């Protein structure tokens, strides 16, 4: 009789222990384990992150890190970490958190524009995705890639079309570059290629001319007219004589792209650079900045007119006065020079 009591007691104790352990396991897996009050929080996990680094990121967001560790070990997450941006919603349990970290990499939206060099583009993109600027720049300048897709040191900036794109945060330099090449190919569809051909221009030449148009006017509605001026000059074999190309030549020669030049001087026109359109005929060998799509479209769809000259209109800032003859242009130019002098703009 005594032995039976002992056995029953042991059995009951065993059941109690098993029940307690089962509850502990259930609680570790299915009880809410978030400590923040917002509806959701985001974590950015590097591609080569260790589980310890993941835990350190999650620690401020979890009530119980040790239970998360236990469940992660049971579910095999410790050895299967994936980089990316992940959301953890308020009230999630460990099971849900790990499932999210395994399979719910969230795309991010990145944007860029107005970059004058690949270095500045790399810096801009590195602020938005995991890849650093060195990784990006190495991918941009890879000789085999440039040769395969027909770019060179002068034209390669034109491959990157300013816009907003969706990427995974853990994209590397080559991944970003390859995506941009696909976007470039998609942009240059048959319709645009035919328009460029009608103008006797290649896509890189269109891009280089669009960069000048963009630098000349910030007014999108004026860009087709400015594009028309330069196309007229090309047809008549007249030097483009675009001040922004001289400014770019100075920056390129000095290596300082942050230089601010508000006034081009006569001595600047003597700089010996293929980008100096006061010295060299035709379109420069590459874009002087990253033109946006509106500028490229302006070149492909220019306004038809007979203008050959333009100068800033000081009575309507941002816009320009256009002229068909040099005499008309000189009259228009006088008001601009007078304004520069009155403002004491020397450089």
């Amino acid at each position: 009789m005594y032995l039976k009591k002992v056995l029953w007691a042991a059995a009951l104790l065993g059941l109690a222990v098993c029940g307690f352990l089962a509850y502990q396991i259930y609680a570790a897996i299915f009880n809410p384990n978030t400590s923040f009050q917002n509806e959701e929080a985001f974590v950015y996990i590097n591609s080569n992150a260790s589980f310890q680094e993941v835990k350190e990121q999650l620690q401020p967001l979890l009530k119980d890190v040790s239970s998360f560790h236990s469940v992660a070990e049971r579910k095999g997450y410790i050895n299967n970490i994936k980089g990316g941006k992940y959301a953890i919603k308020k009230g999630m349990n460990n099971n849900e958190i790990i499932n999210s970290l395994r399979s719910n990499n969230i795309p991010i939206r990145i944007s860029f524009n107005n970059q004058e060099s690949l270095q500045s583009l790399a810096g801009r993109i590195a602020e938005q995705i995991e890849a650093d600027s060195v990784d990006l720049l190495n991918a941009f300048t890879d000789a085999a890639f440039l040769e395969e897709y027909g770019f060179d040191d002068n034209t390669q900036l034109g491959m990157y079309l300013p816009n907003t794109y969706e990427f995974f945060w853990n994209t590397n330099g080559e991944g970003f570059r390859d995506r941009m090449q696909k976007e470039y190919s998609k942009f240059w569809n048959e319709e645009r290629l035919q328009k460029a051909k009608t103008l006797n221009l290649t896509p890189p030449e269109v891009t280089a001319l669009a960069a000048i148009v963009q630098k000349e006017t910030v007014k999108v509605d004026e860009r087709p007219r400015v594009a028309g001026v330069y196309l007229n000059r090309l047809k008549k074999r007249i030097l483009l004589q675009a001040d922004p190309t001289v400014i770019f030549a100075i920056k390129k020669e000095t290596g300082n792209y942050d230089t601010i030049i508000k006034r081009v001087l006569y001595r600047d026109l003597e700089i010996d650079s293929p980008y100096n359109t006061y010295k060299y005929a035709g379109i420069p060998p590459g874009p002087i900045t990253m033109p946006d799509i509106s500028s490229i479209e302006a070149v492909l769809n220019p306004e038809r007119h007979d203008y050959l000259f333009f100068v800033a209109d000081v009575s309507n800032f941002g816009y320009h006065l256009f002229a068909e003859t040099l005499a008309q242009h000189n009259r228009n130019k006088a008001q601009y020079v007078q304004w520069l002098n009155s403002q004491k703009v020397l450089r």
Side-chain angles (χ1 to χ4, degrees):
M1 177 68 76
Y2 177 75
L3 181 59
K4 284 184 178 181
K5 287 182 179 180
V6 171
L7 291 174
W8 273 107
L12 290 173
L13 180 61
L15 286 172
V17 170
C18 288
F20 176 76
L21 292 175
Y23 172 77
Q24 290 292 98
I25 293 171
Y26 178 90
I29 297 174
F30 297 110
N31 278 0
N33 192 27
T34 58
S35 62
F36 52 89
Q37 298 304 313
N38 294 336
E39 288 304 310
E40 61 183 359
F42 297 98
V43 294
Y44 295 82
I45 298 176
N46 290 328
S47 298
N48 59 352
S50 66
F51 182 66
Q52 181 61 34
E53 290 170 326
V54 173
K55 280 204 307 180
E56 288 173 1
Q57 276 209 67
L58 291 175
Q59 187 167 5
L61 306 176
L62 303 180
K63 291 179 181 176
D64 184 358
V65 177
S66 62
S67 68
F68 170 80
H69 187 139
S70 298
V71 176
E73 197 167 27
R74 284 175 174 273
K75 291 175 69 70
Y77 175 69
I78 288 177
N79 298 314
N80 191 29
I81 296 167
K82 297 177 181 178
K85 174 186 178 182
Y86 299 95
I88 299 177
K89 298 184 183 299
K90 180 181 178 181
M92 271 187 168
N93 57 47
N94 286 323
N95 188 59
E96 292 168 329
I97 292 170
I98 292 165
N99 287 343
S100 180
L101 296 177
R102 269 180 164 174
S103 58
N104 292 333
N105 193 358
I106 301 170
I108 62 169
R109 294 172 70 82
I110 71 169
S111 60
F112 59 90
N113 60 9
N114 299 331
Q115 308 301 316
E116 290 191 1
S117 67
L118 290 176
Q119 289 82 357
S120 61
L121 174 62
R124 175 78 180 109
I125 301 305
E127 295 172 350
Q128 301 176 76
I129 62 175
E130 180 184 5
D132 62 27
S133 57
V134 174
D135 180 30
L136 286 159
L137 196 57
N138 286 338
F140 295 168
T141 57
D142 179 70
F145 172 85
L146 295 175
E147 184 178 359
E148 179 178 358
Y149 292 102
F151 295 99
D152 59 32
D153 290 345
N154 292 312
T155 61
Q156 57 188 323
L157 183 64
M159 192 190 81
Y160 301 90
L161 295 172
N163 213 329
T164 299
Y165 302 94
E166 271 199 356
F167 277 88
F168 288 115
W169 176 79
N170 55 312
T171 300
N172 62 22
E174 289 185 358
F176 174 80
R177 177 204 66 193
D178 293 347
R179 166 72 182 283
M180 288 298 94
Q181 190 280 322
K182 289 183 174 63
E183 294 292 339
Y184 178 85
S185 296
K186 189 189 304 181
F187 176 82
W188 282 104
N189 55 28
E190 285 301 318
E191 181 183 1
R192 290 191 176 100
L193 288 172
Q194 185 56 49
K195 287 181 177 180
K197 186 177 180 181
T198 300
L199 296 170
N200 293 316
L201 300 176
T202 64
E205 288 174 330
V206 170
T207 301
L209 189 57
I212 298 174
V213 171
Q214 178 151 322
K215 279 294 188 179
E216 289 285 18
T217 178
V218 297
K219 302 296 185 182
V220 173
D221 60 326
E222 192 183 52
R223 286 175 179 169
R225 179 168 292 188
V226 172
V229 170
Y230 286 124
L231 289 168
N232 287 344
R233 294 179 76 91
L234 287 171
K235 288 177 187 175
K236 294 179 179 292
R237 300 184 182 279
I238 301 172
L239 291 172
L240 295 184
Q241 296 183 320
D243 286 0
T245 65
V246 177
I247 294 171
F248 179 80
I250 295 170
K251 291 180 177 182
K252 189 173 178 65
E253 185 176 80
T254 61
N256 184 4
Y257 289 90
D258 294 326
T259 302
I260 297 175
I261 300 174
K262 296 181 179 180
R263 185 173 186 173
V264 174
L265 305 177
Y266 284 113
R267 68 169 182 265
D268 296 330
L269 306 183
E270 297 304 316
I271 185 171
D272 189 15
S273 165
Y275 287 91
N276 181 358
T277 55
Y278 280 83
K279 262 187 175 293
Y280 291 90
I283 299 171
I288 60 174
T289 191
M290 179 184 289
D292 63 31
I293 291 173
S294 73
S295 296
I296 297 173
E297 292 290 6
V299 174
L300 293 175
N301 304 279
E303 183 178 307
R304 306 295 178 179
H305 53 63
D306 295 320
Y307 297 132
L308 293 172
F309 308 91
F310 63 93
V311 68
D313 183 356
V314 298
S315 66
N316 189 14
F317 282 106
Y319 287 96
H320 295 79
L321 297 173
F322 293 81
E324 295 180 12
T325 68
L326 182 57
Q328 292 171 342
H329 174 62
N330 285 336
R331 287 194 295 271
N332 292 339
K333 183 179 176 182
Q335 53 88 43
Y336 178 59
V337 172
Q338 184 179 2
W339 179 84
L340 285 176
N341 292 335
S342 70
Q343 300 297 309
K344 295 182 171 54
V345 178
L346 301 178
R347 184 59 168 161

